[in-house]
Amino acid sequence: MKKLNNNRRNFLKVSAATGGGLLLGMTWLTSCEREVAIEEGTGFKMPPRPDMPDRWSEVNAFVKIGENGVVTIYSPNPEIGQNVKTSMPMIVAEELDVDWQNVVVEQAGLDTDNFNSQLAGGSQSIRKNWTILRQTGAAARYLLVAAAAESLGVPVAELRTEKGIIYHDASGKSLGYGEVASAAAGIEVPEDIQLKDPKDFTIIGQGKKNVDALEIVTGKAVYGIDLQAEGTLIAGIVHPPAFGMELKSFNADEVKQMPGIRHVVTIDAKPGGAEMQWSDVNAFPQLIAIVGDKTWQVFQAKKALKVEWTTTSAGEFSADHRKELKELIESGKADVARRDGDPEQAFEDADHIVEATYSAPFLPHNTMEPMNFFADVNGERALLNGPIQTPEYLRKTVSAVTGLAEEKVDIQLTRMGGGFGRRLYGNFGVEAALISKAIGGPVKLVYTREDDMTQGTYRPDYLVKYRAGLDAEGKLIAFHVRGAGTNGSPVFANRFPAGAVENYLAENLSRESNISTGAWRAPKSNFIAGAEQAFLDEVAEAAGKDPIDFRLELFDRAIADPVGEKNDYDAERYAGVLKEVRVKSGWDESGNQHRGVAAYYCHNSYVAQVLDLSLKNNRPQVDRVVCAVDCGIVVNPEGAVNQIEGGIIDGIGHALYGALTFADGKPEQENYNTYRLIRHAEAPKKIETHFVDNGIAPTGLGEPSLPPIMGALANAMYKATGKRVYDQPFANPTLRG
Amino acid sequence: MPTYQLKVNGQPREVEATSETPLLWILRDDLNLVGTKYGCGIGSCGACTVHLDGVAMRSCQTPVGKLAESGQAVTTIEGLSDDGSHPVQRAWLEHDVPQCGYCQSGQIMSAVSLLQNSPQPSDAEIDAGMSGNICRCGTYVRIHAAVKTAAKLQANS
Ligand code: FES
Ligand code: FES
C-alpha cells in the first residue's frame, strides 16, 4: 500500500523517458511496414490510423502528445489476450478527453517507478488501476488546460475541453492539445484533480475494437516467439522426462556435429543461495540448453541428444493420485477452515441427507504460443523481452541468478499468445537469461509444444465431497464441504453457501507431490464452482425445488440475516445475476431443451449462466449459453463480451475433455494429438451475454465466466441423460486415471 | 546444405536448408515472415496454416525439399493483403475476433481456403472446415460469425 502512494505521486509528475531506457538501442527486425487504413464499401469501416507527428511532448508516464494532436497512451500491464491493451488506455483517454481515433497505444516495458502493479493475474488489471488511470488522464488534461490558460491569458475556469481541443467560449478561441503540450511539461499538478462524472463518459462503456486487431489479422503483430535481432541465436532446453528425475550426464559429441548447432551447456535456474520469488515454481531447474542458428536445427538436436537421468523421488501415477485424494477425504485429518452453528447435530436432525463427491484431473495451460523469451546478458546488464505475466518478479530472479543489480535488468513486454496463469511463472525467462550469459550473446529460447506441456506448472488435481442436510420442508439446514487437492485444497470457506446456512462446515486437506503446480485461469474456482453448482442442483432436486428458486431462497437468507461475518460476497448482486439470467434465458418458459443453471462469484464479479444442451449421436452439443454478468462498469463492452465467451468455451472444453495424466512421473500427453482441446465444431452454437449496469467501479472479467459454466454443463448433461456426472473430463472419464 | 528456389507471396526466394526442414521454419527463421505461427509442429493445431497453390496446408508438415520439387506457390498471411483489405480480414476486424490473436493467422488462412471451396458455406461446412484450427482463447463463436460475414463481403465485391 505504501508503494502505491509513492507511485501515485510519481505518475502525476512529468516523467523522463518511458518505455524502458536500455532496450532503446536494440533494433528488432520487422517483416513489413506497419499498418495502412482500410477502405472498403460494405458495412464496417476500420477507423483510419492517425498520421504520426514529428515531435512528441511527454506529459506524464502514460501520455505523450504530438504537435499535431495525436496522443500516445502507454498501456502498462502485460497483454495476454484479456484486452487490457485496449481497455486500460481507454480509461486514460476518457479523462484526458481526447478523440479515441487520435490515440495510438504502445505497450510499456517494466517500469516500477512509474507504473503500479504491472502484472496480469487474478483479473485485477482494471480493478487495481481504475482510479490511477483516471487520475492520470485527468492530471494530464489539467496540465494542458493550465498551459492553454497561460497562453490565452484567461483563467483555467473559463476553459473547457472536448476531443483534444481546449475552448474559450467567451472569446471563441481554441487550442489543440498538440499546440500546448510542450508548455504543459513544466506545470505543477494540484493535489485534487477533478474526475469526470461517469454520466459524462464518452469512451468508457463504448465498444472499442482491439487496438492490435489490424496487426493481428495481417500477421504483423509481434509476439515474443517472433522476436529477431541481429546476431540472435536460438536456444532449446532438454528437461527430465518425468517429475522426480534429475540430470545425471549427457554426451553432446554427436549433437555438436549437427548442422547449425553452436553450443550445448547446462544451466541451473535455482542456484543455491540466490533469492527466489513465489513465481519461481519449477520442477526442473537443472537443464541442458542447446543453442544453434535455426529453430528447426535446435529442435532436431534436442531429440538426438543422449542423456542419462537419475531418479531422485518416486514417479507418480494418476490412478494413485485419485486413490490418495479419496483416502484423504474419507479418513484424513482436515484443517477446519470455517464452522458455523452445530453441523454434526444438524446432520443428525436432518430429514434427508444428500452426499456427492466430485473430482478433476491435472491440466496444462497450453497457451497457443509456447513458452519463449529473448535475452541478451553480459557482465554489465541484462536485456530481456518476451511474454511474461509477472515482469517485476522475473527481474528480481534474473538479478538474483546473474548477480546483476535490479536496475541493470531491463524487461520489455510483447503481446502474448495466451497466459491462463502459465506465464505468471517466469522460469523460461530466467532460463533464457542464463543461457545468454553462458554463451555470451543474445538468444531466443523457444520451447517445443512438448516442452510446454510436459514441463509444469499445472492446475493440480482435486477431489471434493459435499453433504447437505434438508429438513422435512426441504430447507437446507446443514452444509459440509471437505476438499482435497495436490499441493492445496480447492475450498473457499467463506464463499456461498457460507452465510446462507445456519450449520456449516468447511474443511481442507492436501497431499504433496513432486509435480509442480500453480495458478490456472480462475485458480481453485475452476474446479470448485462446477462441483458446488452441480451439487446444489442435486440438493434442489432432493428438496423438490426449482434450482433457481432454491438458490434465491438461500440468497434471501444471506441478505436478510447472514450467518457469520466473513462472507466474501454481496448476496444481492449474486441474486441479481441469477434473476437476470432467469429472465434473459426464458428459464420459466423452458420447453424440451436440456437446461442447466449455475451462478458463481469470483475475482470480485458475479456470473450466472443457463446452458442448453442436446445430444447428437450421443455426444453433448451445447446449443446456447445465456450469461448474466455483474462486473460493475464495463469499460469496453466489445472486448468484455469476447472475454465472457472465451471463458465459457474454455470452461466447457476443459470440463468435457481436459486431462493430463501421469505414469511413473511422466506426463502421458505431450501434444495435441493426444491432449484434446475444444474445437470449433464443439463450441456452443450461440452465446448471449448480458451485463448488469450498476455504475459500481469495475471488477474482474478475464476469469469469472469460466468456473460456473462447468456446473451449468454438468446440470444440463443430467437433464439430457438422466445421469449425474461427477468426474471431469465428462466426455471421457477413462482418461481420468 | 542444399539451396531451394521457392515462390512466396508472389516473390521468388532462395533458401539454404536441409531438405526435411519444414516450410514453417523456413518462413519464420529464413524469410522473416513470422505471421505464420508455430503451435504444435505435428499438424494438429492449424496455427501454421498457409496456402500452397491456393489450398490451405500445414506448413509444419511441408518439407522444403518436397515443396521446391512440386513448384507450388506459397501464400502466407502477409501475402493475403498488405492492408487488411481481404474480405476475410475485414470480417475478422468487424467481429473483433482476436483475443490473444496467436491462432488467428492460421484461422484466417483456413477460412480463405474454405470460402474458395464453398463460397456460401453452411454451418456444418464451417464447423468441418475450421475444426483443424485450435483457438485456445475460445473465439470460435466469433470466427463462425466472421466466416459468414466474409462470405457476404466476398459475394458483394
Ligand atoms: S504448428 Fe502446424 S499444425 Fe500446429
Ligand atoms: S485468439 Fe488466442 S488462441 Fe485464438
Side-chain angles (χ1 to χ4, degrees):
Chain A
M1 269 292 109
K2 236 167 82 210
K3 181 110 191 169
L4 183 76
N5 283 334
N6 193 2
N7 280 344
R8 277 202 59 230
R9 293 314 305 165
N10 265 337
F11 75 79
L12 296 175
K13 273 194 222 127
V14 176
S15 86
T18 55
L22 291 170
L23 261 196
L24 293 178
M26 200 91 219
T27 320
W28 304 103
L29 303 176
T30 51
S31 56
C32 313
E33 291 282 279
R34 194 177 174 274
E35 63 89 6
V36 185
I38 299 167
E39 271 311 323
E40 101 285 334
T42 345
F44 170 73
K45 256 216 175 123
M46 197 69 185
R49 295 292 174 104
D51 293 330
M52 286 300 118
D54 299 326
R55 213 160 32 77
W56 293 102
S57 302
E58 302 223 350
V59 181
N60 59 31
F62 286 81
V63 178
K64 64 179 186 184
I65 296 182
E67 92 278 341
N68 63 348
V70 170
V71 179
T72 293
I73 300 179
Y74 286 95
S75 183
N77 281 34
E79 170 64 59
I80 56 176
Q82 83 281 43
N83 210 13
V84 288
K85 195 174 168 187
T86 304
S87 53
M88 293 180 88
M90 280 174 72
I91 300 169
V92 176
E94 178 69 69
E95 294 287 350
L96 182 59
D97 213 10
V98 287
D99 189 341
W100 183 246
Q101 288 199 24
N102 270 334
V103 172
V104 177
V105 174
E106 278 186 39
Q107 177 69 56
L110 177 63
D111 180 355
T112 44
D113 289 342
N114 280 304
F115 300 124
N116 170 53
S117 179
Q118 285 178 283
L119 183 141
S123 296
Q124 298 301 307
S125 294
I126 295 288
R127 179 170 167 258
K128 288 215 172 127
N129 288 291
W130 169 246
T131 306
I132 291 173
L133 293 170
R134 291 183 69 193
Q135 288 174 337
T136 302
R141 178 186 165 278
Y142 174 86
L143 295 176
L144 295 161
V145 171
E150 228 170 84
S151 140
L152 296 173
V154 300
V156 165
E158 286 179 20
L159 296 173
R160 68 177 177 88
T161 59
E162 197 183 323
K163 293 197 169 180
I165 311 219
I166 302 156
Y167 294 93
H168 185 243
D169 289 335
S171 66
K173 285 188 184 140
S174 66
L175 283 168
Y177 283 4
E179 296 172 82
V180 293
S182 59
I187 296 171
E188 183 81 3
V189 182
E191 280 295 322
D192 287 321
I193 305 158
Q194 187 74 35
L195 297 180
K196 277 189 181 176
D197 184 331
K199 276 203 321 288
D200 300 327
F201 285 165
T202 58
I203 296 174
I204 291 170
Q206 303 300 311
K208 297 293 178 209
K209 305 284 181 198
N210 186 327
V211 291
D212 284 342
L214 186 57
E215 278 79 9
I216 291 169
V217 305
T218 51
K220 291 172 196 162
V222 175
Y223 298 80
I225 204 167
D226 303 329
L227 291 174
Q228 281 173 337
E230 224 31 72
T232 302
L233 295 175
I234 306 293
I237 48 139
V238 178
H239 69 77
F243 292 87
M245 286 189 144
E246 242 177 51
L247 176 63
K248 189 173 167 201
S249 63
F250 66 96
N251 183 337
D253 294 347
E254 229 171 276
V255 162
K256 281 188 184 153
Q257 303 308 311
M258 292 175 75
I261 300 305
R262 306 278 189 115
H263 311 267
V264 181
V265 295
T266 52
I267 55 163
D268 184 354
K270 287 185 183 173
E275 193 190 336
M276 291 290 120
Q277 305 297 321
W278 65 266
S279 53
D280 294 307
V281 175
N282 177 6
F284 305 124
Q286 279 107 22
L287 302 164
I288 307 163
I290 300 180
V291 184
D293 295 338
K294 302 284 166 68
T295 315
W296 176 251
Q297 295 168 334
V298 170
F299 283 8
Q300 294 306 98
K302 269 159 53 68
K303 284 192 218 154
L305 189 72
K306 300 211 168 33
V307 193
E308 268 192 80
W309 309 100
T310 137
T311 302
T312 53
S313 58
E316 299 183 2
F317 291 84
S318 287
D320 296 341
H321 287 158
R322 188 175 165 73
K323 242 186 284 158
E324 270 182 58
L325 289 181
K326 261 215 138 128
E327 272 165 30
L328 264 181
I329 288 282
E330 294 308 331
S331 52
K333 197 177 151 358
D335 289 333
V336 174
R338 174 161 169 164
R339 169 193 287 276
D340 296 322
D342 186 346
E344 291 78 11
Q345 187 60 46
F347 275 108
E348 228 155 81
D349 297 343
D351 188 70
H352 187 67
I353 293 176
V354 186
E355 190 181 297
T357 303
Y358 301 81
S359 74
F362 281 85
L363 296 177
H365 296 84
N366 268 325
T367 60
M368 218 53 220
E369 177 195 17
M371 297 309 115
N372 65 81
F373 230 80
F374 170 89
D376 184 7
V377 179
N378 59 29
E380 309 279 286
R381 49 93 187 113
L383 311 177
L384 279 88
N385 195 355
I388 179 76
Q389 291 177 250
T390 51
E392 203 176 330
Y393 297 96
L394 177 61
R395 170 187 281 170
K396 286 188 202 298
T397 303
V398 168
S399 157
V401 300
T402 59
L404 290 163
E406 273 189 53
E407 336 46 285
K408 299 291 182 196
V409 180
D410 187 80
I411 299 189
Q412 296 297 306
L413 299 170
T414 52
R415 188 172 183 86
M416 291 179 237
F420 311 109
R422 176 61 187 88
R423 296 189 219 272
L424 293 168
Y425 309 103
N427 57 295
F428 43 87
V430 180
E431 289 157 17
L434 288 171
I435 297 167
S436 171
K437 191 178 173 203
I439 67 155
V443 294
K444 179 174 67 175
L445 169 65
V446 180
Y447 278 22
T448 60
R449 173 58 57 198
E450 289 82 1
D451 294 329
D452 193 273
M453 215 182 287
T454 58
Q455 206 261 359
T457 310
Y458 306 119
R459 195 285 299 269
D461 62 342
Y462 292 123
L463 198 119
V464 65
K465 183 173 178 177
Y466 285 100
R467 290 193 304 144
L470 298 166
D471 69 9
E473 276 82 54
K475 182 172 177 259
L476 184 64
I477 57 167
F479 194 89
H480 179 198
V481 52
R482 189 173 163 92
T486 295
N487 303 332
S489 159
V491 173
F492 292 97
N494 296 320
R495 286 193 185 163
F496 183 78
V501 194
E502 198 65 48
N503 306 291
Y504 174 91
L505 177 62
E507 297 177 304
N508 292 324
L509 295 134
S510 175
R511 66 174 286 278
E512 289 195 350
S513 172
N514 58 16
I515 300 170
S516 43
T517 61
W520 190 104
R521 194 178 196 175
K524 305 201 287 183
S525 300
N526 59 37
F527 162 68
I528 204 79
E532 169 204 296
Q533 290 297 306
F535 183 65
L536 287 179
D537 205 68
E538 200 164 333
V539 178
E541 189 184 33
K545 290 178 185 165
D546 171 88
I548 294 185
D549 286 341
F550 178 73
R551 287 172 174 80
L552 288 176
E553 277 172 27
L554 290 170
F555 287 125
D556 281 346
R557 167 74 209 265
I559 292 164
D561 180 20
V563 181
E565 273 148 27
K566 283 199 298 199
N567 303 318
D568 278 351
Y569 57 94
D570 177 328
E572 269 179 83
R573 291 177 75 183
Y574 220 141
V577 287
L578 207 43
K579 288 177 187 160
E580 177 81 357
V581 87
R582 171 179 226 155
V583 174
K584 291 295 189 331
S585 68
W587 177 263
D588 295 311
E589 297 89 49
S590 293
N592 37 17
Q593 325 84 326
H594 308 301
R595 207 158 239 203
V597 64
Y600 201 63
Y601 162 80
C602 64
H603 305 92
N604 314 91
S605 295
Y606 302 81
V607 172
Q609 292 153 339
V610 167
L611 181 148
D612 293 357
L613 184 115
S614 53
L615 292 177
K616 292 262 147 67
N617 305 323
N618 247 336
R619 270 190 258 152
Q621 177 188 294
V622 180
D623 296 314
R624 185 182 75 147
V625 174
V626 181
C627 184
V629 184
D630 179 352
C631 60
I633 292 170
V634 182
V635 176
N636 180 11
E638 180 131 20
V641 171
N642 206 341
Q643 290 303 305
I644 294 294
E645 292 172 354
I648 287 170
I649 293 170
D650 191 2
I652 291 172
H654 282 92
L656 283 174
Y657 314 120
L660 188 74
T661 57
F662 298 87
D664 210 1
K666 187 178 177 351
E668 292 183 291
Q669 298 77 29
E670 48 178 42
N671 207 326
Y672 299 135
N673 52 345
T674 48
Y675 189 92
R676 186 168 173 191
L677 284 170
I678 190 167
R679 290 187 181 256
H680 190 109
E682 297 155 342
K685 300 296 157 219
K686 203 168 166 195
I687 301 176
E688 294 168 24
T689 303
H690 304 276
F691 292 100
V692 174
D693 180 10
N694 55 16
I696 297 171
T699 51
L701 198 64
E703 293 166 280
S705 77
L706 181 143
I709 199 68
M710 293 176 164
L713 174 67
N715 298 337
M717 283 177 78
Y718 169 62
K719 285 285 166 54
T721 63
K723 267 180 67 183
R724 294 227 175 243
V725 283
Y726 298 102
D727 301 307
Q728 292 183 18
F730 299 148
N732 192 355
T734 55
L735 248 190
R736 182 54 194 84
Chain B
M1 263 189 282
T3 55
Y4 296 99
Q5 313 297 325
L6 304 177
K7 201 166 155 206
V8 181
N9 297 333
Q11 304 289 319
R13 306 295 296 255
E14 186 179 282
V15 294
E16 200 185 307
T18 51
S19 74
E20 73 279 9
T21 307
L23 172 62
L24 168 65
W25 297 110
I26 299 287
L27 293 171
R28 293 182 54 79
D29 284 355
D30 295 281
L31 303 180
N32 199 25
L33 291 167
V34 292
T36 304
K37 300 300 192 218
Y38 165 67
C40 70
I42 60 163
S44 287
C45 76
C48 67
T49 306
V50 298
H51 294 173
L52 300 186
D53 280 349
V55 179
M57 290 290 182
R58 305 290 182 242
S59 64
C60 73
Q61 299 299 299
T62 307
V64 67
K66 285 223 178 83
L67 174 68
E69 217 170 280
S70 76
Q72 286 172 314
V74 180
T75 309
T76 69
I77 186 79
E78 292 92 346
L80 208 54
S81 83
D82 221 18
D83 54 0
S85 60
H86 188 283
V88 174
Q89 290 170 320
R90 275 151 55 199
W92 246 247
L93 292 169
E94 175 167 348
H95 289 273
D96 205 31
V97 173
Q99 283 188 32
C100 84
Y102 192 78
C103 72
Q104 301 296 346
S105 303
Q107 303 278 3
I108 289 170
M109 296 311 281
S110 289
V112 171
S113 186
L114 165 70
L115 289 168
Q116 260 153 27
N117 295 330
S118 51
Q120 295 298 325
S122 65
D123 287 327
E125 281 171 323
I126 298 174
D127 280 355
M130 298 303 294
S131 280
N133 290 74
I134 295 174
C135 175
R136 176 64 183 83
C137 298
T139 61
Y140 297 126
V141 175
R142 278 163 193 257
I143 289 171
H144 201 91
V147 171
K148 291 191 162 178
T149 299
K152 267 188 224 140
L153 288 173
Q154 235 162 22
N156 293 346
S157 65

